[in-house]
Amino acid sequence: MTFLELSSLRKEFGAAVAVQDFNLQVEKGEFVSFLGPSGCGKTTVLRMIAGFEKPTRGRIIIDGKDVTALNANKRNIGMVFQQYALFPNMTVADNIQFGLKVAGADGGLRQKRIKDMLGIIHMEQFANRYPHQLSGGQQQRVALARALAIQPQVLLLDEPLSALDAKIRVNLRQEIRSIQRQLGITTIFVTHDQEEALSISDRIVVMNQGVIDQLGTPLDIYNRPQTSFVASFIGSLNVLQAQVVDRSAGRIRIDGQELTTGERIGSEADTVTVAIRPEAVSLNHANGHPNSISAAVDDIYFLGSVVRVRTKLKDQFLNVDMFNNPSMALPARGEQVLLSFAASAAKVL
Amino acid sequence: MASVTTTATTTGSPTPWVRLRSRLSFDWVGLVPFFAFVAVFLIFPALSIVVRALTDSAGNLTLANIAGLTNPVITLAYQNSLLVSLITAVSGSVLGGLLAWAITLGGLPGWIRSAVLSFSGVGANFAGVPLVFAFVALLGRIGLLNQLLKPTGVSIDPQTFLYGFWGLCIVYTYFQVPLMVLIMVPALEGLRKEWREAAENLGATQTQYWRYVAFPILMPAILGSAALLFANAFSTYVTATALLGAIGQTFAVTIVVANQFRTDTFGDPGLGFALAFSMMVVIGLTIALYTWSRRRAERWTRKVE
Ligand SMILES: Nc1ncnc2c1ncn2[C@@H]1O[C@H](COP(=O)(O)OP(=O)(O)O)[C@@H](O)[C@H]1O
Ligand SMILES: [Mg+2]
């Protein structure tokens, strides 16, 4: 059952259109991420849901109730900002109980909620600290607790981890996800980091220039990008320009070398964009693959568990990812190699 | 030889001498003019005031000068000065605070903000004879107000409100308001949008946001500027004499002090020093009160375990 529904949302700032024709239905308890480059309108959609921006057009419905005209302080939505949003003049405990206090809740309930929330974020011993005495990661956990303390219907997070160190970022996103599961709260998480979105979301909304480019599960988005924008934005996909050779057979030519794709090519096309995942390509391993093309090794990047070999065709580059294996023999830079991949791995966008 | 000493000091941790020398390094050189300035123009005159307040013309220790402060003329001048300072500190803080709020958070067009700020920079320093002249030209017996009122037959006598206690309050407020604006604008601009939105998001009304979040955060700045405004009014001299002229020879403490050092009147420099000393005490108390209340207001900025 749909719990949060955004229908035909549009937001204009003067002559500029920040968001247009935004339609989304979120299930109760679902974790949905908005993913897209900076300036694509993610924050604007979130702020419309929170009530900080009034939509130019469209409706926002939460649990069957139209809240489009409701003031932000009447919406019962929790929000976590990018940073610096804790009240600096209040302790952690006072920050957490703020929502209950302004609602007139009695002291007993407030104390209990403070205790519960501090337990959830594992910060019991920090109740009397002031925000400036906490690390960035701790501050964001308190901000999360403060937002959850009012038991909101929907939780909104606007790039809550982007100001943190890489390691804390990974730990905290897992913590956010597990708290969200534990409470079953409907959540929208904004990020420009595709790895973050892919790792914790039920579904991802990929946005570009104010519109939804693709909506799907992380697997969908990663494996079946529907537009060249999604393909280039998600993962480290190789996106190549190709000429069509034989439409019905799916034959195309990239930098002078012919290969086969598993997909149909639109009848009107004579050049197409082809996406190939770097992990779908194998190096010097030509048995049974319909596609084998030659390239020169341009550079080699060691990425930890993965080694990325950047090869050059004629003008275009193609990355090949291999699992790091201590016994593997890496090609030398400048060496000619054979790249092979299944026809189905070459997606025409 | 030099190389021998270097090797000796580079092995192991720096010797106390090296550490001392690095602590007294160039970082401190820049402060020398400041300390010299403070010594010559603040500490020395202050000490000399204290000494002279407590000695007679022959240099003997005496409390006679201090006792002279209980003179009814002086206590009345004190009462006037303290009241005017208090009233204009409050009126300046309230009016200036509202103005600062209006041009920062009030959603007014940007040019108003820069116009008010430019005016405040000038207005905060507009005092003395020109300021009084401007007010007299506006509100005086043949001032603009009375000229405009002429056709109606009404005439407002400035004697009753301009050349006296309330006149002083009005004229002082003129420079107190812009001073407050200059101090409060940066403080108001330091209020983060996220705080207001977070409060609203958690269900707070505007009033609750101001009461629990914005006002407590602004409190140190408000206290600081109120103290500054008070001291500013208390130590004002030229504006007061210019406005009050001959009738105000004993009206405010600063005027009474100055009169003790004039050669054409029956001045008593000993009393003058005692008065100056008492003014230092008032300013000192203001600073102490301010420091104490500010420390209370910004507990949350200090580390407490
Ligand atoms: N208050 C505003 N006034 C004018 N333009 C705005 C405002 N807020 C956002 N925008 C514009 O709307 C677009 C989307 O912004 P935003 O939603 O913040 O993007 P994102 O969060 O994806 O980085 C941007 O082009 C931005 O400049
Ligand atoms: Mg944003």
Side-chain angles (χ1 to χ4, degrees), chain B residues 196-267:
Chain B
R196 183 167 41 78
E197 290 182 345
E200 205 180 339
N201 178 249
L202 293 165
T205 60
Q206 280 291 313
T207 319
Q208 285 170 324
Y209 161 68
W210 276 95
R211 174 165 166 212
Y212 296 123
V213 183
F215 207 64
I217 291 173
L218 290 175
M219 208 53 203
I222 294 174
L223 289 170
S225 32
L228 187 65
L229 261 56
F230 180 86
N232 190 33
F234 189 70
S235 55
T236 293
Y237 165 65
V238 183
T239 310
T241 53
L243 182 72
L244 303 177
I247 57 156
Q249 284 311 308
T250 59
F251 193 86
V253 182
T254 45
I255 304 177
V256 178
V257 175
N259 287 345
Q260 306 314 314
F261 296 101
R262 284 167 60 160
T263 48
D264 57 341
T265 52
F266 304 97

Side-chain angles (χ1 to χ4, degrees), chain A residues 17-20 36-41 206-213 229:
Chain A
V17 181
V19 174
Q20 54 183 317
S38 175
C40 72
V206 184
M207 293 179 63
N208 183 27
Q209 301 191 336
V211 298
I212 297 183
D213 242 47
F229 171 77

Side-chain angles (χ1 to χ4, degrees), chain A residues 45-337:
Chain A
V45 175
L46 215 64
R47 291 173 60 81
M48 287 194 282
I49 302 172
F52 298 133
E53 301 285 358
K54 198 172 136 34
T56 309
R57 198 184 307 149
R59 294 194 308 156
I60 300 162
I61 293 155
I62 299 174
D63 199 12
K65 188 168 158 239
D66 189 332
V67 300
T68 319
L70 219 56
N71 259 338
N73 61 358
K74 298 275 186 294
R75 284 198 189 187
N76 196 29
I77 288 175
M79 178 139 177
V80 177
F81 298 81
Q82 195 167 344
Q83 57 179 341
Y84 302 131
L86 290 179
F87 305 128
N89 59 322
M90 296 180 202
T91 60
V92 166
D94 287 344
N95 264 284
I96 292 175
Q97 65 162 325
F98 183 83
L100 293 175
K101 185 172 160 188
V102 297
D106 72 71
L109 174 65
R110 274 149 52 183
Q111 289 312 315
K112 180 178 179 306
R113 194 67 57 78
I114 291 171
K115 199 160 160 290
D116 291 350
M117 288 300 142
L118 286 173
I120 283 179
I121 58 169
H122 308 298
M123 283 184 61
E124 290 90 342
Q125 68 276 40
F126 293 96
N128 295 318
R129 295 270 192 109
Y130 284 98
H132 78 103
Q133 299 168 309
L134 303 175
S135 70
Q138 291 170 333
Q139 290 185 22
Q140 287 306 73
R141 271 150 68 190
V142 176
L144 178 66
R146 181 179 69 175
L148 291 171
I150 57 169
Q151 301 189 325
Q153 288 178 290
V154 177
L155 178 66
L156 308 174
L157 304 109
D158 191 359
E159 311 211 17
L161 309 175
S162 64
L164 306 178
D165 297 341
K167 190 153 189 180
I168 296 168
R169 205 153 61 210
V170 171
N171 289 338
L172 194 47
R173 80 182 183 213
Q174 283 157 0
E175 203 174 326
I176 289 175
R177 177 56 155 152
S178 87
I179 291 171
Q180 183 269 339
R181 278 218 177 90
Q182 185 186 333
L183 302 178
I185 184 166
T186 312
T187 300
I188 295 185
F189 182 96
V190 163
T191 179
H192 62 258
D193 179 341
Q194 46 112 358
E195 186 198 320
E196 210 164 272
L198 289 169
S199 63
I200 58 174
S201 316
D202 288 320
R203 283 191 300 158
I204 297 174
V205 176
V206 184
M207 293 179 63
N208 183 27
Q209 301 191 336
V211 298
I212 297 183
D213 242 47
Q214 187 170 350
L215 169 60
T217 63
L219 240 72
D220 257 350
I221 301 277
Y222 190 82
N223 291 325
R224 286 178 288 280
Q226 278 160 13
T227 67
S228 57
F229 171 77
V230 176
S232 60
F233 192 73
I234 302 286
S236 39
L237 204 59
N238 294 296
V239 180
L240 302 159
Q241 299 304 315
Q243 287 75 46
V244 177
V245 176
D246 181 343
R247 196 166 287 131
S248 53
R251 294 291 288 176
I252 54 173
R253 186 163 51 224
I254 297 176
D255 278 8
Q257 304 192 58
E258 274 195 31
L259 50 93
T260 310
T261 80
E263 304 201 29
R264 290 198 324 204
I265 300 167
S267 56
E268 70 287 349
D270 47 6
T271 67
V272 288
T273 304
V274 178
I276 306 170
R277 294 239 157 256
E279 66 270 28
V281 182
S282 50
L283 205 67
N284 292 334
H285 184 272
N287 49 353
H289 285 310
N291 294 315
S292 286
I293 56 180
S294 68
V297 174
D298 182 65
D299 211 341
I300 296 174
Y301 308 102
F302 182 65
L303 308 176
S305 61
V306 167
V307 177
R308 174 165 298 168
V309 179
R310 185 161 88 146
T311 67
K312 190 170 187 190
L313 302 170
K314 196 151 120 277
D315 303 313
Q316 308 190 70
F317 292 97
L318 203 153
N319 287 328
V320 180
D321 282 359
M322 301 178 285
F323 276 118
N324 177 13
N325 166 3
S327 63
M328 75 181 161
L330 285 169
R333 283 178 56 202
E335 195 178 315
Q336 283 291 323
V337 288

Side-chain angles (χ1 to χ4, degrees), chain B residues 27 54 72 110-111 115 118 168 172-173 182 232 235 270 283 292 298:
Chain B
D27 309 351
L54 297 173
W111 64 266
S118 309
L168 222 48
Y172 281 19
T173 301
L182 289 182
N232 190 33
S235 55
I283 298 294
W292 174 78
E298 59 182 21

